[in-house]
Amino acid sequence: MKVTKRSILAFGALAVTSAIALSGCASSSPSADEDSSSKGAAGKLTVWLDAERVDALKGAADAYEEKTGVTVDLVGKSVDDIKDDFIQQAPTGKGPDVVMGAHDWLGELSTNGVVAPIELGDSADGYLPVATQAATYDGTVYMLPYAVENIALLRNTKLVPEAPKSFDEMVSKGTFVVEQGAEGNPYHLYPFQTAFGAPVFGTDASGSYDPADLQLGSEGGFAFADWLAAQGEAGTLNTDIDGEIAKQQFLDGTAAFWLTGPWNVAAAVDAGIDVAIDPIPSPTAEAASPFAGVKGFFVSSESKNKVAANDFLVNYIGTEDVQLELFKAGNVLPALTAAADTAASDPIIAGFQTVGADAVPMPAIPAMGSVWQYWGIAEAAVINGADPKATWQKLTDDVSAAIK
């Protein structure tokens, strides 16, 4: 695989090689009893990543070593363990120089002091806006983004040939399903909440989410609660519909519309359904903006090779070729705009990209944990007939108290 640099930055290959040589690292090596994953090995970067994406980065790792002499050790890890293992090992001086993860880890990683800032330089303008926003925490970039994921409306074109222009039009054209369950699922309902002008949090001057500006209890939040109650009464939203039931109803043709993410498209295609990806129909005149989840790479705050780590991320993983290799491994929209546009030659990917243009990053701030524990339960209660005003007020009060 050919890897090209998108810009000449201060963290270029010459600077990396010089920094290693001047530090004396080039001639040193780990002691026999040193953990094989320890950082600071001579001319070496250790990268932890999802085991399914190791092959996608081999070309970049080889190209970087050939150019700089710095070896890149790609270590496949279970996605279930990688975050906790990183948080535990980084402070001890062990673990990786670079770790793959999700942007909504940032609050926890920052609180634990285990990640270092990343200098994107001129390359920052080359990423999808939602990707750079998600990679930024308290005004500082901490992540090199490589993929953006959001939900959209899947439509069975045999049942409904044309995309609906509004929520009411969608419901009139065919059955609509969205994953809920007994405790609700606010992630999937968030596009409709934003359509009422009720984000979870407001933002500060830097564009970061402000935990002191809880917007759940805004006028729009109560309007959304009233809408939830009406949809529950009409049977449009149903807490008996969990993820598996929603999936089955779309696959067997009972439902014409399914609000879900790219992770479920393959099942629909394999079932022989001609699927179209549509914008999420709004129940108001405003856009229905879903959450975006952004995946990327973090540099350990304890890495002794931060210069090399930054260079490898920005100038190698941050290239169109490599981001497309990662796309092939996961089929998720690349974060780099040029790569995203190339991937969008597939109409399915193009559909998610269109919807993602209105997406907002899922809040990564620690206060978000205080929202999740109450949010879905309150929504489920309203859908099932609880008083929308009183229930939403209690949700707001509970979240406010938990944050304080």
Side-chain angles (χ1 to χ4, degrees), residues 53-397:
R53 287 165 176 78
V54 170
D55 288 345
L57 288 191
K58 283 183 177 178
D62 291 344
Y64 192 68
E65 181 175 1
E66 181 179 357
K67 184 70 174 179
T68 67
V70 177
T71 301
V72 180
D73 183 18
L74 302 174
V75 180
K77 298 277 288 183
S78 165
V79 293
D80 295 330
D81 302 328
I82 192 169
K83 181 181 70 170
D84 290 341
D85 285 354
F86 176 62
I87 290 174
Q88 290 169 11
Q89 292 193 33
T92 70
K94 299 187 178 185
D97 298 279
V98 173
V99 63
M100 173 187 282
H103 89 272
D104 58 342
W105 297 2
L106 256 176
E108 188 175 359
L109 297 182
S110 178
T111 299
N112 282 278
V114 294
V115 287
I118 291 175
E119 295 291 340
L120 293 180
D122 294 339
S123 70
D125 293 336
Y127 289 89
L128 298 172
V130 72
T132 51
Q133 184 181 359
T136 304
Y137 188 78
D138 282 343
T140 300
V141 175
Y142 285 98
M143 185 178 77
L144 189 288
Y146 80 86
V148 178
E149 196 168 55
N150 54 264
I151 60 175
L153 187 70
L154 275 62
R155 171 170 51 91
N156 185 327
T157 62
K158 182 178 180 180
L159 298 178
V160 182
E162 300 294 330
K165 295 181 174 61
S166 69
F167 186 88
D168 289 343
E169 181 183 339
M170 175 186 68
V171 173
S172 72
K173 287 178 177 287
T175 301
F176 161 74
V177 288
V178 57
E179 176 181 339
Q180 283 301 286
E183 295 187 352
N185 191 311
Y187 171 83
H188 282 86
L189 294 183
Y190 194 62
F192 306 124
Q193 183 173 320
T194 59
F196 283 91
V200 177
F201 296 106
T203 54
D204 60 23
S206 71
S208 300
Y209 286 111
D210 182 359
D213 185 14
L214 185 67
Q215 291 289 308
L216 278 175
S218 66
E219 182 179 341
F222 286 96
F224 171 63
D226 286 338
W227 180 83
L228 278 182
Q231 302 312 310
E233 184 176 1
T236 308
L237 297 177
N238 188 339
T239 58
D240 290 336
I241 304 294
D242 62 14
E244 286 303 312
I245 293 174
K247 180 178 183 177
Q248 189 57 49
Q249 289 193 0
F250 188 77
L251 296 185
D252 65 22
T254 302
F257 304 99
W258 182 18
L259 185 61
T260 190
W263 51 86
N264 275 320
V265 172
V269 173
D270 290 345
I273 298 173
D274 184 9
V275 179
I277 308 299
D278 296 333
I280 300 169
S282 176
T284 72
E286 302 301 319
S289 300
F291 277 136
V294 180
K295 298 178 181 179
F297 295 85
F298 305 96
V299 174
S300 171
S301 60
E302 298 300 317
S303 171
K304 295 180 175 61
N305 289 328
K306 291 188 183 70
V307 173
N310 199 108
D311 180 50
F312 177 64
L313 293 186
V314 174
N315 292 318
Y316 286 77
I317 294 180
T319 63
E320 183 177 356
D321 288 345
V322 177
Q323 295 238 335
L324 285 173
E325 287 296 317
L326 287 163
F327 165 71
K328 292 174 187 176
N331 211 37
V332 180
L333 183 73
L336 192 70
T337 302
D341 291 344
T342 298
S345 60
D346 179 336
I348 296 293
I349 300 300
F352 280 103
Q353 183 182 26
T354 297
V355 176
D358 287 326
V360 295
M362 187 183 298
I365 56 178
M368 191 63 190
S370 299
V371 179
W372 290 119
Q373 63 178 316
Y374 300 108
W375 197 11
I377 293 172
E379 289 186 347
V382 172
I383 291 170
N384 288 328
D387 179 80
K389 182 176 181 180
T391 304
W392 205 257
Q393 184 62 60
K394 185 176 187 306
L395 165 65
T396 302
D397 293 343

Side-chain angles (χ1 to χ4, degrees), residues 1 9 13 38 112 117 121 186 266 341 390:
M1 177 179 63
L9 303 174
S38 294
N112 282 278
D341 291 344

